[in-house]
Amino acid sequence: MRVLSIVLVMAVLGAAPVFMQTIDLSGVWAQLVVNSQFSDVPFAGRVRQQTISIQRVALKQNGNRVILEARTCALEFDSGTPLVKIIFPDKFVSSLGTDVKESQFDLSTLSFVQPRYTYLRGVRLNDPERDPLPTDPKDPRIFDQDEDGNPGMTIKASVVGVFNADIYIIQRDWNILRGRLTSSTTLDGLVEWGSEQVIIGATNPIFLNPNPTFSDPNPNNSFFRSTRVSDDTSCEQIIVQRDRLFAR
């Protein structure tokens, strides 16, 4: 930690980074990723909504190259209003598995970039980036990823505690992370992201037509926070300690 502090001071002062090669991100990090958008909700108007992902990320650094193995520990949705509640069931979260990504860490500026990475949920596409999402529930590319007996992925929705449903969806999400090492244990930054979703079924038909959504124009509202933890830290421990780990 002392060497890293020296390096950070030298970087700020513009001195030659003779100790830069000693910085190593390798290890386990707890990560919070927040994606922000707006939606027009009946009786509530336009509200900010956030998808919140808590992850356990194992990093392996080799020079400027960093390999990440990210496992989602928890996934939450803040609807922006008490009128609407969305829940990602445990089967949804556990079916996400582990994503392996390659990123870059600039030793001279302490900046971190995870290039665009695409996530498919409940669907398999020949071209994950460009193929349109299918809309027919019988399309063979749609599969029961969370293994709950229903096509695609299942989320649970409730409106004013009266209207409830299981909703079957497929999704294509992508994100780009850009941040900076701010201390020996914190790596934070902003998230550029996008999402497509098709509702392929619901146990209550009023949920078949989703509310319109819009990108949050403030880039600071979509962000990530990463905190180094011990290598034996589990997902369960990260969830319990989330307030402390992600306080900034």
Side-chain angles (χ1 to χ4, degrees):
M1 292 177 62
R2 183 178 178 183
V3 171
L4 179 56
S5 298
I6 294 173
V7 172
L8 290 170
V9 171
M10 293 177 67
V12 171
L13 296 179
V18 294
F19 297 116
M20 282 296 178
Q21 65 271 22
T22 64
I23 300 178
D24 192 348
L25 302 182
S26 298
V28 174
W29 297 69
Q31 187 173 82
L32 173 78
V33 180
V34 176
N35 296 338
S36 181
Q37 66 182 18
F38 282 95
S39 181
D40 289 336
V41 178
F43 308 110
R46 184 162 294 184
V47 297
R48 176 182 290 119
Q49 300 178 328
Q50 292 183 321
T51 302
I52 302 161
S53 176
I54 299 174
Q55 302 179 354
R56 182 186 187 275
V57 184
L59 302 185
K60 294 181 181 179
Q61 179 180 340
N62 184 5
N64 288 349
R65 183 170 177 259
V66 181
I67 301 297
L68 298 83
E69 296 184 1
R71 175 189 169 195
T72 300
C73 303
L75 196 58
E76 303 167 358
F77 185 76
D78 181 351
S79 68
T81 170
L83 300 177
V84 180
K85 187 174 184 180
I86 302 291
I87 295 176
F88 299 96
D90 291 342
K91 286 187 175 182
F92 186 112
V93 177
S94 61
S95 73
L96 299 179
T98 299
D99 293 307
V100 180
K101 318 169 193 177
E102 183 171 336
S103 303
Q104 296 293 318
F105 178 63
D106 190 321
L107 293 168
S108 62
T109 63
L110 307 180
S111 61
F112 170 88
V113 177
Q114 176 205 293
R116 178 172 173 136
Y117 187 88
T118 297
Y119 312 81
L120 294 179
R121 295 172 179 165
V123 63
R124 299 184 180 97
L125 301 176
N126 290 329
D127 187 340
E129 295 282 349
R130 298 177 179 84
D131 284 353
L133 291 179
T135 57
D136 183 351
K138 297 180 180 179
D139 192 301
R141 294 172 296 176
I142 297 175
F143 71 105
D144 179 13
Q145 181 172 329
D146 53 9
E147 298 182 342
D148 68 345
N150 299 297
M153 304 280 276
T154 301
I155 59 175
K156 295 183 177 295
S158 176
V159 176
V160 297
V162 176
F163 303 102
N164 304 285
D166 288 351
I167 306 175
Y168 314 130
I169 62 172
I170 57 174
Q171 294 177 324
R172 171 167 47 207
D173 295 346
W174 63 269
N175 64 18
I176 300 170
L177 275 58
R178 295 186 177 92
R180 193 168 186 273
L181 189 69
T182 55
S183 77
S184 59
T185 60
T186 54
L187 173 62
D188 299 344
L190 300 180
V191 180
E192 181 181 347
W193 68 283
S195 180
E196 297 174 65
Q197 177 175 287
V198 173
I199 296 177
I200 55 177
T203 56
N204 187 327
I206 70 169
F207 290 90
L208 292 174
N209 297 307
N211 299 320
T213 59
F214 311 88
S215 298
D216 189 330
N218 186 344
N220 294 317
N221 290 332
S222 295
F223 59 90
F224 73 96
R225 295 174 180 171
S226 309
T227 303
R228 189 189 289 272
V229 295
S230 61
D231 289 353
D232 60 353
T233 301
S234 67
C235 261
E236 291 73 20
Q237 290 171 319
I238 291 173
I239 293 171
V240 170
Q241 301 174 45
R242 60 183 293 177
D243 290 343
R244 178 182 64 83
L245 289 172
F246 304 124
R248 300 284 192 270

